[in-house]
Amino acid sequence: MELVIIGIILVVVVVFIAMTIKIVPQQRVGVVERLGKFHRLLTPGLNILIPVIDQVRVYHDLRIQQANVPPQTVITKDNVQVQIDTIIFYQVVGPEEATYGISDYVYGVRNISTATMRQIIGKLELDETLSGREKISSDIRLALDEATEKWGVRIERVEVIDIKPPLDIQEAMDKQMKAERSKRAIVLEAEAAKQDMILRAEGDKQSKILKAEGDKEARIRQAEGLGQAQELEALGQAKAIEAVAMAEKARIAMIASAGLDERVLAYQSFEALTDMSKGPANKIFLPTSAVETLGSLGAIAEVFKAGKEGK
């Protein structure tokens, strides 16, 4: 009997402790009611309650959560039925409002998202719907923000996962896309051929220009070389003529200083003509001065004769 009483007391103590001490994990919060009225929030960590009087109404997860909206069939402005899948990311920022503002805020978010989506899609044509996912997501998020603000729920993001048009329209769109891709491929191929021809022509033009410039440069350098060579040759000839003239001048001066007169020079000319006659030529053209020299041979002989007699 005593053991039974002790066991009952232990159970009562355990229940009392369980109802008194509440440990709340991180990123969670509890709503405490005292005698059925909101009293306070349980924050992460150890919390003490008054048993029976205080009760935890609900715990809220403060992390960002995800709500999948079932696929919805909506009609566009041009009377085409499309099926849209969306996902909503939300976060509880007001636990008290989320507890007492609406019975089920997740259900409310889904219903508002569905109604807003029908309104938005009904104002868009099919092409605008298919290409306007970001606009649809933004409009749904704005509508949800206005409605969920008083519920203590903040909408973080709304993502349109998929938009499925009817099968026949999808097949027509696939054909159109194939035709567009083929057209784009042909245009790109033609553009590539055009660029190839332009580049080749440009390369040929540059090649001819470079070749012409090279020929021009070569001719200029050749002309400059030829001019310099002629200039050097003329300079050499001038110097040679000057040297010959100087030598001739010196020779005449030496002859004059040696006392040789015109008759000696005439004799030397005659000796030169004799040497020329011994050559391979069978004809000798005599200048007029040589003939005059021959005419004076008698005088030369007289000169030698006078010289012998003087000895």
Side-chain angles (χ1 to χ4, degrees):
M1 187 63 183
E2 293 179 354
L3 294 176
V4 174
I5 294 174
I6 292 172
I8 293 173
I9 292 173
L10 289 176
V11 170
V12 171
V13 170
V14 170
V15 172
F16 181 80
I17 293 174
M19 295 177 65
T20 302
I21 299 175
K22 296 293 182 182
I23 298 176
V24 180
Q26 186 67 32
Q27 287 298 99
R28 289 180 67 86
V29 66
V31 177
V32 179
E33 293 179 343
R34 175 167 291 178
L35 300 176
K37 182 180 179 182
F38 173 76
H39 177 59
R40 66 186 177 93
L41 297 176
L42 294 182
T43 56
L46 180 64
N47 295 268
I48 304 298
L49 300 178
I50 300 175
V52 181
I53 296 177
D54 292 342
Q55 291 184 350
V56 179
R57 169 72 178 272
V58 65
Y59 287 98
H60 291 287
D61 192 339
L62 301 182
R63 297 174 296 181
I64 295 176
Q65 300 179 64
Q66 170 183 325
N68 294 321
V69 179
Q72 300 293 318
T73 301
V74 295
I75 300 176
T76 62
K77 185 178 179 180
D78 48 354
N79 294 324
V80 178
Q81 288 187 350
V82 294
Q83 192 176 50
I84 300 181
D85 293 344
T86 55
I87 293 179
I88 300 170
F89 296 90
Y90 65 94
Q91 185 178 19
V92 175
V93 294
E96 183 181 355
E97 292 83 358
T99 303
Y100 301 105
I102 186 171
S103 60
D104 188 346
Y105 55 81
V106 176
Y107 186 71
V109 167
R110 286 175 177 169
N111 286 338
I112 291 178
S113 173
T114 302
T116 305
M117 187 189 310
R118 293 181 184 279
Q119 292 178 1
I120 296 172
I121 300 301
K123 298 177 182 177
L124 301 176
E125 294 185 352
L126 178 61
D127 293 340
E128 296 174 334
T129 303
L130 295 175
S131 60
R133 293 191 180 192
E134 293 185 1
K135 183 178 184 305
I136 296 171
S137 299
S138 177
D139 291 345
I140 294 176
R141 183 175 179 276
L142 291 176
L144 288 174
D145 274 340
E146 295 177 358
T148 59
E149 184 179 2
K150 57 186 178 184
W151 299 344
V153 177
R154 182 176 61 203
I155 304 301
E156 296 292 336
R157 291 174 59 188
V158 177
E159 293 290 340
V160 177
I161 299 175
D162 193 14
I163 300 177
K164 294 181 180 178
L167 185 60
D168 55 342
I169 294 179
Q170 193 169 357
E171 291 177 354
M173 292 172 61
D174 292 340
K175 291 180 180 178
Q176 183 180 2
M177 291 177 63
K178 289 181 180 178
E180 287 291 335
R181 284 197 291 269
S182 299
K183 176 183 176 183
R184 191 178 305 171
I186 293 173
V187 171
L188 291 175
E189 187 177 356
E191 188 69 23
K194 176 184 175 183
Q195 291 294 329
D196 180 65
M197 293 178 65
I198 292 174
L199 292 176
R200 288 178 182 276
E202 191 69 26
D204 186 58
K205 175 185 174 183
Q206 292 294 331
S207 175
K208 290 180 179 178
I209 291 173
L210 292 175
K211 184 178 179 181
E213 290 180 350
D215 293 342
K216 176 184 176 182
E217 186 69 20
R219 290 179 181 178
I220 291 173
R221 291 183 179 277
Q222 185 178 6
E224 290 178 353
L226 181 60
Q228 292 178 358
Q230 290 178 350
E231 184 178 355
L232 292 174
E233 184 178 0
L235 186 61
Q237 290 178 355
K239 289 183 178 179
I241 292 172
E242 183 179 0
V244 170
M246 293 297 294
E248 186 66 19
K249 181 180 178 181
R251 188 177 70 84
I252 293 172
M254 291 176 64
I255 292 172
S257 62
L260 297 178
D261 54 12
E262 296 178 352
R263 291 176 296 180
V264 174
L265 295 177
Y267 177 72
Q268 289 179 348
S269 300
F270 176 74
E271 287 183 342
L273 291 172
T274 303
D275 293 336
M276 292 173 62
S277 64
K278 295 178 180 179
N282 52 6
K283 292 182 181 180
I284 297 174
F285 294 93
L286 299 177
T288 305
S289 59
V291 175
E292 294 177 353
T293 302
L294 290 175
S296 61
L297 286 177
I300 295 170
E302 291 296 334
V303 171
F304 281 97
K305 186 177 179 180
K308 290 179 179 179
E309 289 177 356
K311 292 180 179 179

